Amino acid sequence: MDLASTTSHNSGRPFWKNDHPFQTVTPSRLVRYVLDVPNRSLAVGTPNPKVLSTRLPEFPSLPRKRSTRRHRYVYPAVARRKVTVDYEKKGHAGPVGGIAKIDVEFPENNEYYSFETYEFPGECVLCPKVRGENGNGEEEEEEEEKEDACYLLVNVVNGRDMTTDMLIFDVEGKGALEKGPVVRWTLPVFVPHLLHGSFAEGVTFDFEP
């Protein structure tokens, strides 16, 4: 089980109602808990939790078909650069400025992509690539090693120009995320910073007037 974890929270007041919200929480880390389901407890014999990223991760995402299943990669929004903070101290958190491809088995292989200092991403959405059919007219089954055969979509708010861009990354393969977006499109209207994203398969929109 992977989650973004902090050691403390504000005292019952909604986060966004604080005058200085990032002063009320401790920095986040992405961690993995291994569960012993039959015994309804944490598993023994392994680091629990296992720290996957300390780059202030938020909103970890993964392909819908991998939800509640074994997975290799998680895609959170993160800080623009590596930071050294006290994870027990409030006031060291901050807004995200990048995205990451986290390897939950080998965190040393994590990949990061940073935006400009005035750009802030929302939650990533993963869309699986469309594979062909086999010779029998049946869809090819998803290969385990191709778990990352996805496109990553994310809205990025430009706080300097007050515009919003939609970015698409091809995250398949080692180093793919760090190559940058394959598509970057400025939306016709400004969309404020969003906390969460969603993907509806087969739904498209016509932006023509």
Side-chain angles (χ1 to χ4, degrees):
M1 179 175 67
D2 305 322
L3 69 154
S5 172
T6 61
T7 58
S8 67
H9 194 267
N10 60 74
S11 57
R13 187 178 183 183
F15 176 79
W16 57 88
K17 288 189 175 182
N18 292 285
D19 292 334
H20 302 284
F22 290 109
Q23 300 296 322
T24 66
V25 294
T26 54
S28 61
R29 295 181 293 179
L30 186 66
V31 299
R32 162 163 283 199
Y33 286 93
V34 180
L35 306 180
D36 183 343
V37 177
N39 293 315
R40 300 183 179 182
S41 65
L42 294 176
V44 297
T46 59
N48 231 343
K50 174 184 178 181
V51 178
L52 304 177
S53 176
T54 59
R55 201 155 159 172
L56 311 184
E58 297 286 353
F59 313 125
S61 303
L62 72 166
R64 183 174 57 182
K65 289 184 177 181
R66 291 287 170 178
S67 180
T68 71
R69 297 176 56 193
R70 181 184 296 274
H71 55 271
R72 173 76 180 270
Y73 303 105
V74 181
Y75 303 84
V78 295
R80 289 188 63 256
R81 56 183 176 83
K82 185 177 180 180
V83 293
T84 301
V85 296
D86 183 348
Y87 290 94
E88 301 294 328
K89 187 176 181 180
K90 294 182 179 180
H92 283 190
V96 294
I99 56 177
K101 178 182 180 180
I102 303 299
D103 187 328
V104 300
E105 295 183 9
F106 302 100
E108 62 271 19
N109 294 331
N110 290 349
E111 300 175 26
Y112 297 94
Y113 182 85
S114 298
F115 300 103
E116 299 295 338
T117 55
Y118 47 82
E119 294 181 322
F120 308 96
E123 182 180 29
C124 301
V125 176
L126 281 300
C127 304
K129 291 183 177 179
V130 176
R131 295 303 188 187
E133 296 180 342
N134 59 29
N136 298 320
E138 299 174 346
E139 290 187 4
E140 296 177 350
E141 293 184 1
E142 183 179 10
E143 300 179 41
E144 194 68 25
E145 65 271 22
K146 294 295 185 180
E147 176 189 329
D148 62 351
C150 295
Y151 292 107
L152 181 152
L153 282 67
V154 62
N155 278 354
V156 176
V157 172
N158 183 322
R160 182 191 64 183
D161 301 332
M162 298 303 288
T163 57
T164 305
D165 288 0
M166 166 67 76
L167 278 67
I168 301 177
F169 292 78
D170 184 345
V171 295
E172 183 177 2
K174 185 177 180 180
L177 176 73
E178 296 176 338
K179 293 179 181 178
V182 295
V183 174
R184 181 163 188 154
W185 179 52
T186 301
L187 300 181
V189 295
F190 172 68
V191 179
H193 189 65
L194 304 174
L195 294 181
H196 296 286
S198 60
F199 169 64
E201 188 171 353
V203 176
T204 59
F205 296 93
D206 184 1
F207 291 100
E208 295 297 327

